[in-house]
Amino acid sequence: MQTGVLRVLRATAASWWRHKELRRTGQTGKAQRLERETVLRDLGYLKQAALLPNAHVICGEGGAFIHLGLTTVSTFAPIERFPLAAPAVARGTPFIDIRPVTDVIAFANLPRVARDGSDNSEPWGPGRSVSLTDYFDMLEGLGARIANDPRARQSA
């Protein structure tokens, strides 16, 4: 893991209000333990983002999200202030920018991305899911921008 990523994750963990309060009240050991747990958890998320085939980062007006199958990590901040999203994208995790999408109803009605890469594209039901590449096609039709597109790697 790059030293810069660790530095950012440690600084972010140390800046949390709870950890600052523990330090202020003299509970430095507990603050350090919680910060270490936070950094290890975040490193696990980055590892999953690099390894899971359908992991992706999505950014909109409401914040940024890392989708890791069963787990979603999110923040109300833009991607530039989300310490996990930027390193994940820099390491090659697909990035979807939905800020240009104007049809929020169509976006809300999109199926979810299948966790296992399968395609259950039945046109009904809450369990509807599609592959990540099909999801990209649908999003691009709505005006979203995609970086680190795995479709480009598959065709090469």
Side-chain angles (χ1 to χ4, degrees), residues 9 15 52 56 80 87 90:
L9 295 179
S15 71
L52 294 174
H56 58 282
E80 298 82 12

Side-chain angles (χ1 to χ4, degrees), residues 44-155:
Y45 290 146
L46 287 174
K47 184 177 180 180
Q48 287 180 10
L51 297 176
L52 294 174
N54 285 340
H56 58 282
V57 175
I58 191 163
C59 177
E61 296 298 331
F65 304 84
I66 302 176
H67 293 279
L68 303 168
L70 294 173
T71 305
T72 300
V73 185
S74 64
T75 182
F76 291 116
I79 190 168
E80 298 82 12
R81 292 197 352 249
F82 188 14
L84 284 176
V89 172
R91 293 181 64 189
T93 301
F95 172 68
I96 305 164
D97 184 357
I98 61 169
R99 291 175 286 193
V101 174
T102 57
D103 189 347
V104 294
I105 301 300
F107 175 73
N109 287 322
L110 288 177
R112 63 181 172 81
V113 175
R115 289 188 294 270
D116 60 0
S118 64
D119 190 347
N120 176 18
S121 55
E122 300 294 332
W124 60 83
R128 183 171 175 226
S129 61
V130 296
S131 69
L132 185 60
T133 55
D134 289 345
Y135 189 66
F136 285 166
D137 292 337
M138 294 174 192
L139 284 168
E140 283 181 328
L142 295 175
R145 294 185 300 252
I146 298 170
N148 297 336
D149 193 338
R151 296 173 298 181
R153 291 190 293 260
Q154 290 172 356
S155 64

Side-chain angles (χ1 to χ4, degrees), residues 30-50:
K30 186 172 183 179
Q32 288 173 334
R33 184 179 52 78
L34 290 173
E35 290 164 9
R36 196 169 20 260
E37 289 171 5
T38 300
V39 169
L40 290 174
R41 181 202 63 211
D42 290 350
L43 287 172
Y45 290 146
L46 287 174
K47 184 177 180 180
Q48 287 180 10

